[in-house]
Amino acid sequence: MALVAVGVLLVACGSTPVMPPTTAVVTPERPAVQPERRQARIGLALGGGAARGFAHVGVIQVLEEAGLRPNLVVGTSAGSLVAALYASGKSSQELRHVAETMEEAEITDWMLPILNRGALRGEALARYVNTQVGGRHIEQMKIPLGIVATDLKSGNAVTFRLGNTGSAVRASSAVPAVFQPVRIGEREYVDGGLVAPVPVHQAREMGANFVIAVDISSDPEGNPSGDTFQILLQTFTIMGKSINSLALKDAEFVVRPPLTGFKSADFTVRRRSIEAGRSAMLGQLPQLRARIAAFEAGQ
């Protein structure tokens, strides 16, 4: 009987195989891919336009009131003057006070032209700037500063990041045949507007990944008066128009104050220019905030 029982047990085991316990395979859920966030490093690029440059002050006022402080600022010609004063640590209200109390005689030093190289030395402008920035050199500014001029020999744009602030602004603003070329080291420099009317590319080179460009240029307005300065400024306007059309495409945001009819050589419109800058920036502030938010969200 015992043998029979064992045989039955063996037959049963052979007909009903024992399966090993199964283990459920759980595939972990992949987390949703979030868009990569990035910090906007804002570069403020201030363009040239002589007396129309007071509009930059109004733009800066609105940015400051909105809490949008640029990480760096770079300027050409009139923009270099405002950029230098702002980078030195002046508040927007202080900038406005300086703009409204500036006397044209403080920044001009007429002389007989030497070999047709210009009737203004530009030394008065350099002194004025150095006084306003407290003698700080470019590399000592509270906000990183770039000042763009044109190398007279090579025709290349040069961004000053070191050295005497007044001399650099003087070079950046040296309209050919009006201001004498400015010698710095072994080179001579003239107005940066010849090659970079709005220094978007230079702001990018300085490390900005979000450039706010302020364009204060104007369209040519018919035949200028017989005044040599007006003719030269009209020439700059025509030349800068095509350069700007390319440079501004590389900016994340462009502000164009409504300055139609504001003459580049007319210092009497300074308050209206400031208000034009304020008006333009206030009107575009919601779009700017949205653009920065989208940029930082990786969109």
Side-chain angles (χ1 to χ4, degrees):
M1 281 300 290
L3 290 174
V4 173
V6 171
V8 172
L9 180 60
L10 289 174
V11 170
C13 291
S15 61
T16 309
V18 178
M19 301 297 293
T22 58
T23 302
V25 178
V26 179
T27 303
E29 293 185 5
R30 292 184 178 180
V33 177
Q34 298 295 328
E36 182 180 352
R37 294 197 64 83
R38 53 185 171 180
Q39 184 69 37
R41 181 170 172 78
I42 298 174
L44 185 60
L46 305 182
R52 298 158 63 91
F54 291 110
H56 291 314
V57 176
V59 171
I60 290 171
Q61 276 191 315
V62 174
L63 291 175
E64 185 175 278
E65 291 164 3
L68 297 173
R69 188 174 178 83
N71 299 95
L72 60 93
V73 59
V74 56
T76 290
S77 198
S80 73
L81 171 59
V82 177
L85 270 56
Y86 181 49
S88 72
K90 290 187 184 300
S91 68
S92 62
Q93 287 301 319
E94 289 172 321
L95 277 180
R96 181 162 191 145
H97 176 74
V98 170
E100 292 180 344
T101 58
M102 179 189 296
E103 295 294 335
E104 193 172 354
E106 292 181 286
I107 60 173
T108 56
D109 42 8
W110 294 96
M111 62 175 293
L112 291 175
I114 298 177
L115 299 176
N116 295 320
R117 285 171 66 82
L120 286 169
R121 288 190 297 268
E123 293 174 1
L125 174 60
R127 285 195 300 270
Y128 178 82
V129 170
N130 284 331
T131 298
Q132 290 294 332
V133 302
R136 290 185 181 89
H137 280 202
I138 299 171
E139 67 272 19
Q140 298 171 326
M141 295 298 177
K142 296 184 178 180
I143 302 174
L145 170 66
I147 296 174
V148 181
T150 303
D151 186 315
L152 186 57
K153 183 176 181 179
S154 69
N156 294 328
V158 175
T159 305
F160 290 103
R161 301 285 307 278
L162 304 169
N164 186 285
T165 306
S167 294
V169 171
R170 176 188 174 192
S172 181
S173 307
V175 179
V178 177
F179 284 87
Q180 293 178 9
V182 178
R183 178 171 289 277
I184 299 177
E186 299 300 317
R187 315 288 286 187
E188 284 189 316
Y189 300 92
V190 291
D191 197 298
L194 287 169
V195 288
V198 183
V200 175
H201 178 67
Q202 288 73 19
R204 191 83 66 202
E205 287 183 329
M206 287 176 60
N209 60 13
F210 191 101
V211 178
I212 301 174
V214 186
D215 179 17
I216 58 170
S217 64
S218 63
D219 292 328
E221 298 180 0
N223 291 326
S225 66
D227 180 79
T228 302
F229 188 46
Q230 289 288 357
I231 293 172
L232 282 168
L233 291 177
Q234 178 82 327
T235 303
F236 265 50
T237 297
I238 295 168
M239 181 178 59
K241 188 174 177 62
S242 59
I243 300 174
N244 265 350
S245 65
L246 295 175
L248 294 175
K249 289 179 181 178
D250 193 37
E252 278 68 31
F253 202 83
V254 179
V255 183
R256 291 186 177 91
L259 297 168
T260 301
F262 289 41
K263 300 297 183 183
S264 297
D266 187 0
F267 272 65
T268 65
V269 297
R270 66 185 74 183
R271 287 185 176 85
R272 290 167 54 201
S273 294
I274 293 171
E275 290 306 317
R278 279 191 62 86
S279 174
M281 192 65 260
L282 278 170
Q284 292 181 252
L285 191 58
Q287 296 97 308
L288 175 58
R289 288 190 185 279
R291 191 75 58 82
I292 293 173
F295 176 86
E296 294 189 331
Q299 300 174 4

